[in-house]
Amino acid sequence: MLGSTLLSAATALFFLPAVFSAPIASAPSVSVSDVSTTISTTKSNAIQRMTTVFVEKQSEVQTYYDTIMAVDASTIDMAFASNVCGHLSDMLRETINGVQAASTVAEDSVAVKVNVATLIEAIVGILSCVFGILYHILEILKDDVVPLVQGVLVVVFALLKVVVTVVGDVVLPLVAQVVVTVVGLVPLIKNIVDCDVNGILTIVAYLGIKL
């Protein structure tokens, strides 16, 4: 399976430049009001704990997105990109660890209905910010930064695989439904694909998103 071949992305961390001058571009808004948001599961408690992990991480990633988008583009170089991709990978790995920890508690054997709207919203929110940051640095540094971007995409895919192990594959179609309704996200993914970042194609195919 593809997940078994994933390699860990190792990038050095540097301090962010202190001067920010560019206007902040907000990440796409996320809404799940138009998709089915309940599933039958015997892992209701795990899903609730996992949702808490994703919501907290979404807030952190959103703050980081705002910070990166406020950096003067003229100061963005390979050292900066290494810092950014390394930090994104770290945040995604922390999410993976949190999700795995949330899934270790014993569950009741009776299936119950669980609303996964907040979970879907948080997952898509994280993807929106991560893809937005990656495309931003690709626009500036072009092909030189592709290996760093691919390293982050490896961790994104690993995170999606962990979600499947906890919830099952029923959530991924819901994520895909929301992704295609978020203004600007699919064009953003298409633009990343145009930069020859093959890892995004794997993620898109895994989610079942039609570009």
Side-chain angles (χ1 to χ4, degrees), residues 2-211:
L2 285 173
S4 64
T5 63
L6 294 175
L7 298 177
S8 175
T11 49
L13 294 177
F14 298 87
F15 290 107
L16 282 171
V19 179
F20 305 103
S21 60
I24 295 176
S26 298
S29 60
V30 179
S31 173
V32 297
S33 60
D34 57 348
V35 299
S36 174
T37 56
T38 57
I39 59 175
S40 293
T41 180
T42 58
K43 294 188 174 183
S44 58
N45 293 331
I47 291 174
Q48 290 168 1
R49 291 190 299 273
M50 184 173 71
T51 298
T52 299
V53 171
F54 271 104
V55 169
E56 291 176 352
K57 192 56 64 175
Q58 180 194 7
S59 177
E60 181 182 343
V61 174
Q62 175 69 62
T63 298
Y64 192 61
Y65 176 96
D66 293 340
T67 299
I68 297 305
M69 292 303 170
V71 173
D72 187 337
S74 66
T75 68
I76 295 178
D77 55 15
M78 286 301 294
F80 182 91
S82 179
N83 170 38
V84 169
C85 290
H87 191 57
L88 284 176
S89 294
D90 285 346
M91 287 191 290
L92 291 168
R93 289 192 191 97
E94 288 169 1
T95 308
I96 290 173
N97 292 338
V99 169
Q100 289 174 329
S103 66
T104 58
V105 178
E107 298 291 344
D108 296 333
S109 59
V110 179
V112 295
K113 288 273 190 175
V114 178
N115 190 310
V116 293
T118 302
L119 174 61
I120 301 297
E121 182 178 277
I123 293 173
V124 177
I126 289 173
L127 293 179
S128 299
C129 290
V130 170
F131 292 163
I133 291 172
L134 295 180
Y135 181 59
H136 182 61
I137 63 175
L138 273 167
E139 277 191 310
I140 296 169
L141 299 176
K142 309 302 181 184
D143 291 347
D144 290 343
V145 78
V146 166
L148 292 175
V149 171
Q150 288 173 324
V152 178
L153 294 178
V154 165
V155 190
V156 170
F157 187 67
L159 175 58
L160 294 175
K161 298 284 288 184
V162 170
V163 171
V164 171
T165 64
V166 177
V167 186
D169 58 7
V170 69
V171 165
L172 293 186
L174 299 180
V175 171
Q177 287 180 49
V178 178
V179 165
V180 298
T181 64
V182 175
V183 176
L185 186 53
V186 169
L188 173 64
I189 294 173
K190 286 182 177 179
N191 285 330
I192 294 178
V193 171
D194 289 341
C195 293
D196 294 326
V197 183
N198 293 327
I200 197 71
L201 291 175
T202 301
I203 294 170
V204 166
Y206 190 67
L207 290 172
I209 300 172
K210 297 185 184 298
L211 294 178

